[in-house]
Amino acid sequence: MTLKSLKLSYLLIGLIFVSASNAFSQPAVNSGSPACAWPHNVAYAHGLLPNNVSFATMNASVSQLYVNWYAAFVTSAGAGGHLRVQRPSNNNDTVSEGIGYGLLIAVMMADKTLFDGLYSYAKLYIPDTAGHYLMNWQINSAGGVIGNNSATDADEDIAMALLMADKQWGSGGAINYKAEFTSYVTAIWNYEDNTGLIEPGDAYTTPLFTSYMTPAWYRCWVSQDSGHAWANCTTWVYNTFFPNVLSAWPNGMAPNCINNGAPYSTAVAIPGGTEPALNMGYDASRYPMRIGLDYLWNGLNPAQITAFANTVIAGVSANGYQNYIQEYWTVNTGTPSGSPCSHLQIGPALVAAMTTTNQSFINNTYTELWNRVNGSACPGLSYFQDTVALMCALISTGNFPNIVCGGGTACVATTPVPTATPRPCFMLSDFEDGTTRD
């Protein structure tokens, strides 16, 4: 065993030991005897991983980011005896999107303590104000609902995380994950899906949000939820939504929201909100992550995915990392705005690039992600960008395997692909830029 492997092992042991003494305030990696223990380090069936660092270095980086993320954003305060993901920049509120991210992160880190704490909190707000088996999207720090009804992106992530949890820990414990998944996914189908078209929530039918499309989830649900035609959603994403958006917005990104139907080239403001019409902001930054992960897992629609990934690579190449990390308020011209400290777009750009054969760009972008996450010029963690960064860090290090629908070897670590000498790398809640919706 190498020195780095020993350090990682001690870190994992330390996480578990600390969590045993204070289970509701510390990570509990590999708790609950998971079927797919962390780290996973799988080579996805399609696409490439970074190969300029070792898995040991990757795992150490992800583990440290998880510890930091947990300390900054996971709290039992105001959680009714459970756990929640808070947004310090928004008066320590909680949004359903953050619960969805937290559940996905917890299931990949095999942290049953965190998963059960977060979902038990979510259950306090299910059903939502409309009476549907979905979570109200915004809760204040004292536990009061301040954002009624649901947000589809959060609901999709929550449902997928429940399905993954059933794979990890089974459904015979305090939470019947599979039964919860069935109830949740049925409500998504009934109230947030329109014969394949993904709507923004159970109280709105327009506009469409580019980063609400999760085709990797829909493909898995085809076999896990046979009562609903989830294949229609994937067909709509790739036959209608995706090609039209790619044609209308060719610079590698798209606005947060667009018209519910043609013309896809017209961006729209949110109902009752202040979202700029052409804002490629926090919400849309997740779009390449959603699309890229589908290809890494499933390898389908390669021509479309490659075309899209190349627009992302071209966008970075044209603007440089320094500008690409900022928000693009004018999508067609690529005029940057926002803080150069932000690393929000880098992780999703990395996931998209992994669907190509451009190994050099993948390696450079992986390095840039960690330079940004650990950069001394931008100290402290920010809820949205660092949560998305953690998600992308898990994906880009082979630590986000398709454990439910990936076949019988999905939990088995593969022969490491990275061979470089180890070196240190160091809703709707989606209107994280300050706008709100009710």
Side-chain angles (χ1 to χ4, degrees):
M1 181 177 286
T2 66
L3 177 61
K4 286 186 177 294
S5 297
L6 281 170
K7 288 181 178 178
L8 179 61
S9 298
Y10 291 145
L11 177 57
L12 291 175
I13 292 170
L15 289 177
I16 297 170
F17 176 78
V18 171
S19 66
S21 63
N22 191 2
F24 257 34
S25 62
Q26 300 289 341
V29 174
N30 290 334
S31 53
S33 301
C36 305
W38 189 88
H40 309 285
N41 293 144
V42 301
Y44 300 111
H46 309 277
L48 298 175
L49 293 174
N51 67 2
N52 56 329
V53 292
S54 69
F55 273 128
T57 298
M58 287 180 173
N59 294 339
S61 297
V62 173
S63 183
Q64 187 60 61
L65 180 55
Y66 180 58
V67 171
N68 295 345
W69 173 86
Y70 196 112
F73 306 119
V74 176
T75 183
S76 60
H82 307 296
L83 292 172
R84 64 187 181 94
V85 175
Q86 64 179 348
R87 300 191 301 177
S89 59
N90 288 70
N91 298 313
N92 293 320
D93 70 343
T94 288
V95 285
S96 59
E97 159 210 277
I99 298 299
Y101 294 146
L103 291 171
L104 289 170
I105 291 167
V107 81
M108 287 303 167
M109 297 300 296
D111 191 334
K112 189 175 189 296
T113 301
L114 175 60
F115 191 99
D116 288 359
L118 292 178
Y119 193 67
S120 295
Y121 171 82
K123 286 278 286 182
L124 300 177
Y125 306 99
I126 302 170
D128 68 2
T129 305
H132 304 146
Y133 206 83
L134 303 164
M135 183 182 175
N136 276 313
W137 78 268
Q138 187 179 23
I139 317 299
N140 67 24
S141 61
V145 175
I146 54 176
N148 294 316
N149 303 309
S150 67
T152 302
D153 61 326
D155 295 326
E156 291 173 327
D157 288 346
I158 290 171
M160 190 64 194
L162 286 165
L163 190 57
M164 291 176 172
D166 174 65
K167 174 68 174 181
Q168 280 284 45
W169 300 293
S171 293
I175 301 175
N176 186 328
Y177 304 120
K178 191 61 179 290
E180 290 294 317
F181 161 76
T182 299
S183 296
Y184 218 98
V185 84
T186 298
I188 292 172
W189 179 267
N190 288 339
Y191 305 111
E192 296 175 333
D193 172 74
N194 182 5
T195 62
L197 185 151
I198 308 303
E199 296 177 339
D202 65 352
Y204 293 91
T205 59
T206 190
L208 302 182
F209 288 84
T210 55
S211 62
Y212 282 29
M213 315 309 160
T214 56
W217 297 178
Y218 311 144
R219 294 192 202 277
C220 188
W221 296 349
V222 166
S223 64
Q224 302 296 313
D225 179 46
S226 58
H228 304 110
W230 291 107
N232 291 348
C233 298
T234 310
T235 298
W236 176 77
V237 168
Y238 285 108
N239 288 4
T240 302
F241 180 79
F242 188 76
N244 279 287
V245 170
L246 183 60
S247 175
W249 309 98
N251 285 1
M253 287 288 187
N256 285 352
C257 49
I258 61 176
N259 278 332
N260 189 344
Y264 282 83
S265 59
T266 304
V268 294
I270 63 171
T274 58
E275 184 79 0
L278 293 176
N279 180 22
M280 195 296 293
Y282 279 41
D283 189 278
S285 66
R286 304 170 300 174
Y287 182 44
M289 177 182 73
R290 302 286 199 192
I291 297 297
L293 181 61
D294 181 40
Y295 184 81
L296 296 177
W297 277 10
N298 301 299
L300 300 175
N301 304 95
Q304 289 176 302
I305 298 297
T306 298
F308 172 68
N310 285 335
T311 66
V312 174
I313 292 172
V316 174
S317 300
N319 297 285
Y321 288 116
Q322 181 68 21
N323 286 330
Y324 192 78
I325 59 176
Q326 302 179 55
E327 295 177 48
Y328 281 76
W329 291 90
T330 307
V331 181
N332 277 333
T333 61
T335 303
S337 179
S339 170
C341 283
S342 174
H343 47 268
L344 181 61
Q345 282 82 33
I346 295 301
L350 171 59
V351 175
M354 288 168 62
T355 68
T356 74
T357 58
N358 194 333
Q359 188 71 67
S360 177
F361 184 88
I362 294 167
N363 292 347
N364 291 339
T365 308
Y366 178 84
T367 299
E368 183 68 21
L369 173 64
W370 289 105
N371 287 343
R372 291 291 168 184
V373 169
N374 298 315
S376 60
C378 309
L381 272 70
S382 173
Y383 156 75
F384 193 87
Q385 66 193 42
D386 285 288
T387 302
V388 172
L390 178 51
M391 291 278 291
C392 293
L394 286 165
I395 295 170
S396 65
T397 58
N399 281 306
F400 209 98
N402 187 358
I403 65 174
V404 177
C405 305
T409 60
C411 297
V412 179
T414 61
T415 301
V417 173
T419 57
T421 302
R423 60 185 179 83
C425 295
F426 315 57
M427 215 192 26
L428 283 252
S429 56
D430 304 291
F431 310 123
E432 303 299 341
D433 51 355
T435 61
T436 59
R437 159 186 168 172
D438 54 30

